[in-house]
Amino acid sequence: MSHIGKTAVHCINPDCQRPYPQPWGSKFCTSCGEVLHLLDRYIPIAALGSGGFAQIYTVWDEVTQTEKVLKVLVEESPKALELFTQEAEVLVSLRHPGVPKVEADGNFQINLSNPKPRQLACLVMEKINGPTLAEILDNYPQGCPEAVVINWLIQALKILQELHKRQIIHRDIKPSNLMLRTPVSTALPNQGGIGWEQLVLIDFGGAKHVKMARLRQESSSTRLFSSGYSPPEQITGGNVGPEADFYALGRTIIELLTGTYPPDLEDPQTGVLQWRNRVNVNSQLADLLDEMVNENVRSRPASAAIILKRLTKITQPSSSSLSTNWQKFLTQVAHQWQVLLQGIEQSFGNFGKTIRKLVLWIFKTIYQIFTACLSTIWAMLLAGLGAGVGTIFGFILAYHTSLGVRIAEFISTQLPELAQNSQSLGGAEMLLFATAGLGTAFGITVSGCFAQRRRLFVTSSMGIISYAFSWLLWRVISANGDRGEGLVAAVAIGVFLLALSIGFRSHHIVYAVIGGFGAAMGFATLLLLEFPTTALQFSNSPTLSELSLPIAFFSSVGMFMSFWFSVSYYLIVPGLKLLGWR
C-alpha cells in the first residue's frame, strides 16, 4: 500500500483525545470508540491538514486498492453543510482530468456518539499527487518562466470552459487551489518538456451553480471570497458569473509571472495592478491579463473560448517585425539599466538611506524620461510612416482607378454645393484623406506606446471615418474662406475623432482634446513657416512626383498627434489622476 504502509489508522472524530495511532485492523477507535473502517471500505491512515470548514485525510480504498483523499466536515453550521454538499454535487457531476474525480457513492455521512450524537459529512475523492502552484512559486521568488505559466493558463481555461458550460462558477481560484497531477522536480521543465504536467483545480467548497439567463437579476446567495484574488463584485456580495473566475485566474497568473502577491502590486490610489515593469512578457499577453483583472465586469473577456482564441494567436510563432524588435531593444535597455541601478545601489551601500534613495530616484527618473522619449519617437515614426504609406495608397486608388470618380459622383449627387470644382478632384481628395487616416491609425495602434488596446480593425475603421469627415469639414470651410484655416480645423476634428476610437485605458476625452488641439497648433505653426496651403492640389494628370507635399502634410499630422498623445500619457493623465480624476 504505497509508501505509508499498513501500520496505523487515524480516527476522524474531531473530539477524539488520541486519534492517532490506532492499531491496523481495528474496527473501532481505542480512545473514543468511534468506527474506523468507514463503509467497510475506506481506512483513514494520515491527516493531511485542514481547509475551510473541513479536515483532510489520506485514506486507503480497499476496493480499488488505491490511496484517496477524505474530506470531513467538522463545522456544524447549516451554511457549512450546504457548501459541503454543494461541492460534493459538483465533483460527482464532473468528469474532467483537471478536476478531482469523485464516485457517485463518494459522498456519505457517518454517525458519531462520543461526546454527543451527531452526523459527520464525508467526501472521498481522487488523490492528486503533486505540488500546488503556490508551492512551486516558493522556489521561484522572481516568478516562473513565461512559457510554463502560459501552459498552466491554457489548461486552467480549459477546465473553466468545462465548468462554465455546466453553469458552475468556482469562485476560489488561486495558486494554492491549482495542483500538478504529476510530481515535478525542484526545477521546472524546459520549454521542450511543457505539457506533461496535468493541471488540476481543487477545493470546490465555494463553487456555485448559476442560471446564466438570470445572472443579472439575482444576487449571490453566499458571500465567499479570497483576499487578493476575488473580484470586487464577489467581495461585495454582488452577482458573480464566469468573469469572476477570469479575474481570479488573471491575478493568479500575474502572481506566477512576477512572484509577487497581487495586493502588493496595486497602485495605492487607483488599485490597478502595476506589474508590467516587474517582468518581461509578451505585450499581447500582458494586455490580455490586464483585461482579465479589470474591475469593470463588462471590460473582462466574456468566455474561456475567447481567451483561448487570443492565447492561440499569442503563442503561434510569427515572423519578427519592427515593433517586436523595438520591444526587444527596450527590454535589453531596461535590463542593462536595472543592472546599472543595482551596481549603483551596492556602491552607495555605506551611505545613509536618504542619500541612497535620492540618488536611485534621480536615476530611475532619468530612465523613465529616457524610455518615454524613445517610446514617443517610436510612436511618431510609426504614425508618420503609416500616414505616408496610406497617402501613397490613396493616391494610387484615387488617380489610377475609377474609385475616385465614383466617390466624386456620389458627392456631387448628395452634396452638390461641395463639388464646385472638378468632380474627380473632390473624390480623390476624400479618398486621399481616408487612406491617410487608415495608415495613421494603424501606425499608432501597432506602436503600442500608450498602453492602448490593440483594436486594429476598430481604430483603422475610425481612422477612415474621422479623416473623411475632416475632409468634408475642410471643403465646407474653405468654400467660404481661407484654405489654411480650413485645414487647421480639419486636423483638429480628424484627430479628435480618431483619438476617441483608440483603446486608451482611461481619460479618452483628455487624449482627444489634447491630441486634436496640439496637432492643429503644430500644423498652424507649419503654415506660419509658409507651408503651402495648396499641398493637396494636383494637376489634371498627377504623377507620383507630386506626392511629396501631401505625404509631408499627413505624416506631420500623424507625428504631431503621437507627440501630444505621449504628452497626455506621461504628464497630463498622471497629473489628473494625482488630483483625483480617475
Side-chain angles (χ1 to χ4, degrees):
M1 186 186 72
S2 78
H3 63 282
I4 296 178
K6 298 180 180 180
T7 57
V9 181
H10 203 296
C11 178
I12 65 170
N13 181 6
D15 299 310
C16 183
Q17 298 298 315
R18 192 178 65 86
Y20 185 86
Q22 301 294 325
W24 182 264
S26 297
K27 297 293 185 179
F28 300 94
C29 176
T30 59
S31 176
C32 66
E34 298 296 346
V35 65
L36 295 174
H37 201 168
L38 310 179
L39 300 185
D40 292 327
R41 175 176 178 177
Y42 303 110
I43 304 175
I45 51 180
L48 292 178
S50 60
F53 305 131
Q55 187 71 34
I56 313 296
Y57 301 91
T58 298
V59 298
W60 177 252
D61 185 349
E62 291 196 323
V63 174
T64 62
Q65 293 292 295
T66 58
E67 288 181 9
K68 292 186 177 180
V69 170
L70 170 67
K71 191 171 185 178
V72 180
L73 180 65
V74 295
E75 175 70 33
E76 298 187 66
S77 69
K79 178 55 66 177
L81 180 60
E82 176 188 339
L83 294 175
F84 191 87
T85 304
Q86 182 173 274
E87 177 181 14
E89 292 174 351
V90 169
L91 291 176
V92 169
S93 68
L94 292 172
R95 287 293 180 270
H96 189 279
V99 176
K101 184 178 180 181
V102 175
E103 302 295 341
D105 58 355
N107 181 27
F108 56 90
Q109 292 185 337
I110 62 171
N111 295 316
L112 300 180
S113 58
N114 186 5
K116 62 180 181 179
R118 61 179 290 195
Q119 285 187 320
L120 208 60
C122 300
L123 178 63
V124 176
M125 65 186 75
E126 173 191 9
K127 183 178 182 181
I128 309 299
N129 292 310
T132 67
L133 297 191
E135 293 170 341
I136 289 181
L137 193 57
D138 289 339
N139 296 325
Y140 290 83
Q142 301 302 317
C144 301
E146 177 182 351
V148 178
V149 175
I150 289 178
N151 177 267
W152 292 338
L153 174 58
I154 292 173
Q155 291 194 59
L157 287 167
K158 290 180 179 178
I159 298 172
L160 290 180
Q161 193 172 28
E162 179 66 22
L163 295 180
H164 296 167
K165 183 175 68 176
R166 297 172 179 267
Q167 298 186 347
I168 298 170
I169 310 300
H170 187 274
R171 296 199 301 175
D172 196 17
I173 296 176
K174 53 188 175 183
S176 59
N177 282 342
L178 291 165
M179 297 184 67
L180 296 180
R181 183 182 297 276
T182 303
V184 296
S185 62
T186 55
L188 288 173
N190 57 33
Q191 187 170 353
I194 290 174
W196 58 271
E197 326 97 322
Q198 171 64 53
L199 193 71
V200 180
L201 181 60
I202 63 172
D203 194 355
F204 283 74
K208 180 178 179 63
H209 284 278
V210 295
K211 294 182 179 179
M212 298 300 179
R214 302 173 63 186
L215 190 60
R216 300 299 179 189
Q217 288 74 31
E218 294 184 358
S219 62
S220 174
S221 59
T222 307
R223 187 173 173 180
L224 296 174
F225 63 90
S226 289
S227 178
Y229 303 96
S230 299
E233 69 270 17
Q234 184 175 339
I235 295 175
T236 58
N239 302 323
V240 294
E243 299 87 355
D245 283 344
F246 301 148
Y247 181 96
L249 179 59
R251 284 201 157 212
T252 295
I253 295 301
I254 289 174
E255 180 177 3
L256 293 171
L257 288 170
T258 62
T260 305
Y261 182 48
D264 295 337
L265 298 170
E266 292 178 356
D267 185 291
Q269 295 183 348
T270 65
V272 177
L273 296 186
Q274 303 293 336
W275 66 278
R276 288 176 178 249
N277 60 337
R278 292 175 175 258
V279 62
N280 176 31
V281 297
N282 184 296
S283 60
Q284 292 178 300
L285 173 63
D287 291 341
L288 174 59
L289 293 175
D290 280 339
E291 290 181 31
M292 291 174 65
V293 300
N294 195 304
E295 292 192 359
N296 186 346
V297 178
R298 296 184 179 181
S299 296
R300 300 175 206 155
S303 70
I306 292 175
I307 304 176
L308 286 168
K309 184 177 180 180
R310 291 180 60 178
L311 280 173
T312 299
K313 294 181 179 179
I314 292 172
T315 56
Q316 282 179 345
S318 58
S319 58
S320 60
S321 62
L322 284 175
S323 183
T324 301
N325 292 334
W326 175 255
Q327 295 296 335
K328 289 182 178 179
F329 170 72
L330 284 181
T331 300
Q332 293 174 355
V333 172
H335 175 70
Q336 296 298 327
W337 191 265
Q338 291 297 330
V339 172
L340 176 61
L341 289 179
Q342 291 174 2
I344 294 173
E345 187 173 8
Q346 293 175 358
S347 301
F348 285 89
N350 296 327
F351 284 75
K353 289 184 178 180
T354 303
I355 299 299
R356 186 163 62 250
K357 288 182 179 180
L358 177 60
V359 173
L360 288 175
W361 178 82
I362 292 174
F363 274 93
K364 288 179 179 178
T365 302
I366 294 173
Y367 167 69
Q368 291 173 351
I369 294 173
F370 175 70
T371 55
C373 291
L374 287 181
S375 295
T376 301
I377 294 172
W378 178 243
M380 292 175 66
L381 286 175
L382 284 187
L385 180 61
V389 172
T391 303
I392 296 173
F393 180 67
F395 177 84
I396 295 173
L397 288 179
Y399 295 102
H400 295 276
T401 70
S402 62
L403 189 58
V405 175
R406 293 179 181 178
I407 293 176
E409 291 174 351
F410 175 80
I411 295 172
S412 63
T413 302
Q414 301 298 324
L415 299 169
E417 64 277 7
L418 294 180
Q420 298 174 357
N421 299 317
S422 171
Q423 291 185 350
S424 61
L425 180 62
E429 286 176 356
M430 183 176 186
L431 191 57
L432 205 64
F433 268 76
T435 54
L438 169 64
T440 305
F442 189 86
I444 291 177
T445 303
V446 169
S447 72
C449 292
F450 313 117
Q452 71 268 32
R453 298 180 181 88
R454 299 199 174 190
R455 306 182 301 184
L456 285 173
F457 177 77
V458 174
T459 308
S460 299
S461 299
M462 194 60 189
I464 295 174
I465 296 172
S466 60
Y467 269 48
F469 183 79
S470 70
W471 169 85
L472 179 64
L473 178 67
W474 171 53
R475 289 300 298 267
V476 170
I477 295 176
S478 61
N480 301 312
D482 184 26
R483 292 176 61 89
E485 294 177 357
L487 276 177
V488 172
V491 168
I493 294 300
V495 173
F496 179 86
L497 295 176
L498 175 57
L500 293 179
S501 69
I502 297 176
F504 296 117
R505 299 293 173 177
S506 63
H507 300 80
H508 302 80
I509 192 67
V510 174
Y511 285 101
V513 171
I514 298 300
F517 180 79
M521 291 302 96
F523 181 67
T525 302
L526 290 182
L527 292 180
L528 291 176
L529 297 176
E530 299 184 352
F531 184 88
T533 58
T534 58
L536 300 177
Q537 291 182 349
F538 296 96
S539 61
N540 293 330
S541 299
T543 61
L544 285 174
S545 60
E546 298 180 51
L547 263 179
S548 57
L549 284 178
I551 290 176
F553 167 70
F554 287 113
S555 296
S556 63
V557 172
M559 295 175 73
F560 287 141
M561 182 193 315
S562 299
F563 174 80
W564 286 106
F565 283 167
S566 182
V567 171
S568 300
Y569 178 71
Y570 289 107
L571 296 176
I572 298 177
V573 171
L576 292 175
K577 289 181 178 179
L578 190 63
L579 294 175
W581 185 10
R582 304 301 175 202

